Amino acid sequence: MLVPIHMLRLLTAGADSVNPAEEVEDAGRTLPKSIMCSVYLNGAMGFIMAITLCFCLGDLAAIVDTPTGYPFIQVFYNATQSYVATNIMVTIFLINLTACCISVVATSSRQLWSFARDNGVPFSRWFAL
């Protein structure tokens, strides 16, 4: 479950650098540099996190055959050996996931509105309201 979410985030990692495009001097050179820098930095940190997770997993069969049905919850429980700590970590994960989803929807709607304002999409008048 975690892999597709992180892969989607990696694909949109540069979008955070594009938002201040109108305020940056020489945006044609500065923005590509900042986008690539954020992609490389996020990729390196994600790789380190994945390697660390692989070394800390423990018994892979027990994680895959978890009674919860969600292996990431079992990983949290194996790391903490506490139901309270596991619930707190899952809650933090779900709050972050919800915030990411809201951010992606807000960014997508903003881009759609910008394209519609410039007549770049079908039904531009309806989207640009």
Side-chain angles (χ1 to χ4, degrees):
M1 178 176 162
L2 293 176
V3 173
I5 295 168
H6 290 301
M7 293 308 290
L8 285 174
R9 182 64 189 140
L10 183 62
L11 293 174
T12 62
D16 298 335
S17 303
V18 176
N19 291 333
E22 296 172 351
E23 291 88 20
V24 175
E25 290 182 27
D26 194 19
R29 294 179 52 85
T30 306
L31 284 178
K33 287 180 184 178
S34 68
I35 290 170
M36 292 312 297
C37 184
S38 68
V39 168
Y40 291 143
L41 187 62
N42 285 330
M45 289 189 299
F47 181 73
I48 292 169
M49 184 186 81
I51 296 297
T52 304
L53 181 65
C54 287
F55 278 108
C56 298
L57 279 177
D59 184 20
L60 192 58
I63 292 171
V64 172
D65 296 329
T66 180
T68 64
Y70 296 99
F72 77 97
I73 296 175
Q74 188 65 41
V75 171
F76 290 160
Y77 181 74
N78 289 350
T80 62
Q81 295 297 316
S82 167
Y83 289 115
V84 174
T86 301
N87 286 334
I88 289 171
M89 292 173 76
V90 169
T91 302
I92 291 170
F93 173 77
L94 290 176
I95 289 171
N96 284 331
L97 181 64
T98 303
C100 286
C101 289
I102 292 170
S103 174
V104 167
V105 169
T107 301
S108 300
S109 65
R110 188 173 164 188
Q111 288 177 345
L112 179 63
W113 181 81
S114 295
F115 278 118
R117 178 190 60 195
D118 298 334
N119 294 324
V121 294
F123 308 109
S124 292
R125 280 190 231 147
W126 187 76
F127 285 120
L129 291 175

